[in-house]
């Protein structure tokens, strides 16, 4: 999982609660990404960041928020506005947001809403 | 909507056989990447093929790209039990810049010992 850590591995949330998923990388990468994966599905992009203090919405940003205060860290908050948050969340990074760049993934956080 | 669609959705073969999976996409691309995901884990990059390339090899992996048909194939030769995983293609859309990849729904490969 190459230099990217995500915590916790499993997370349980009660309805109405906000939760924050951690993502840290020591690869000195500029770009970071958050994806959501549902069972048997591909990855859908939630948010991405090309540089510190800047981020853009992906395809399914509603009900999520992010921050990028440090190059190494890109936490994702799942808010109570996200109606169906139970999923597997993957964080990734790449040297740049360029089409030739490989993305390196963390091990994922499995979020379950009780 | 997903840019890439893998085919088949699931594939089971005997150890030692070759495994072929396909990816089709809809719009022009700059490159196409293949990733592997073991169950419950993150994705691992396997290989990248550029739009001006037709074939690329990496160890037991062979990837082809046919831009006229908007399709790619991943061949794994002499399969091993450790190859059991889901395989995803990922494309960037050259019409919308280089900021993000779009992943397909994946092929679930099972190698039977």
């Amino acid at each position: 999982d190459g230099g990217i850590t995500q915590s916790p591995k499993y997370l349980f949330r009660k309805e109405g609660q906000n939760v924050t998923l951690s993502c840290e990388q020591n690869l000195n990468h500029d770009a970071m990404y958050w994806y959501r994966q549902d069972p048997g599905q591909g990855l859908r992009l939630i948010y991405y960041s090309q540089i510190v203090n800047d981020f853009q919405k992906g395809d399914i940003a509603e009900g999520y928020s992010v921050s990028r205060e440090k190059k190494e860290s890109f936490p994702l908050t799942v808010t109570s506005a996200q109606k169906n948050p139970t999923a597997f969340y993957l964080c990734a990074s790449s040297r740049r947001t360029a089409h030739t760049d490989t993305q390196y993934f963390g091990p994922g956080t499995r979020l379950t809403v009780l | 909507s997903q840019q890439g669609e893998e085919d088949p959705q699931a594939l089971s073969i005997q150890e030692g056989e070759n495994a072929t999976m396909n990816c089709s996409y809809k719009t022009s691309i700059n490159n196409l990447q293949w990733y592997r995901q073991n169950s419950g884990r993150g994705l691992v990059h396997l290989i990248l093929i550029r739009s001006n390339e037709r074939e690329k090899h990496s160890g037991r992996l062979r990837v082809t790209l046919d831009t006229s048909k908007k399709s790619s194939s991943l061949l794994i030769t002499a399969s091993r039990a450790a190859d059991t995983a889901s395989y995803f293609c990922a494309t960037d859309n050259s019409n919308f810049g280089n900021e993000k990849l779009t992943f397909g729904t994946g092929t679930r490969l099972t190698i039977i010992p």
Side-chain angles (χ1 to χ4, degrees), chain B residues 18-59:
Chain B
N18 295 342
T20 299
M21 55 205 86
N22 304 295
C23 170
S24 59
Y25 56 91
K26 298 176 182 176
T27 60
S28 298
I29 61 171
N30 292 305
N31 68 55
L32 186 144
Q33 302 183 41
W34 284 92
Y35 287 80
R36 183 188 74 226
Q37 183 182 33
N38 290 87
S39 181
R41 304 292 298 275
L43 277 70
V44 175
H45 179 261
L46 295 175
I47 198 165
L48 178 151
I49 186 165
R50 301 175 192 272
S51 59
N52 62 353
E53 296 176 314
R54 292 296 168 259
E55 187 170 314
K56 201 162 183 180
H57 296 255
S58 176

Side-chain angles (χ1 to χ4, degrees), chain A residues 1 37 59 97 99-100 103, chain B residues 31 35 37 50 98 100:
Chain A
D1 298 316
Q37 186 177 32
D59 300 318
T97 51
H99 60 269
T100 53
Q103 292 191 12
Chain B
N31 68 55
Y35 287 80
Q37 183 182 33
R50 301 175 192 272
N98 303 326
K100 58 182 183 178

Side-chain angles (χ1 to χ4, degrees), chain B residues 79-95:
Chain B
S79 63
R80 304 168 182 170
D83 295 328
T84 293
S86 292
Y87 292 82
F88 295 89
C89 66
T91 57
D92 70 299
N93 188 325
S94 61
N95 292 327

Side-chain angles (χ1 to χ4, degrees), chain A residues 10 12 17 28 36 49 64 86 90 92 99 102 112 114:
Chain A
Y10 299 97
F12 298 90
Q17 285 183 336
N28 199 33
R36 170 183 172 138
S49 169
Y64 300 97
T86 294
L90 288 161
H99 60 269
T102 298
T112 303
L114 302 174

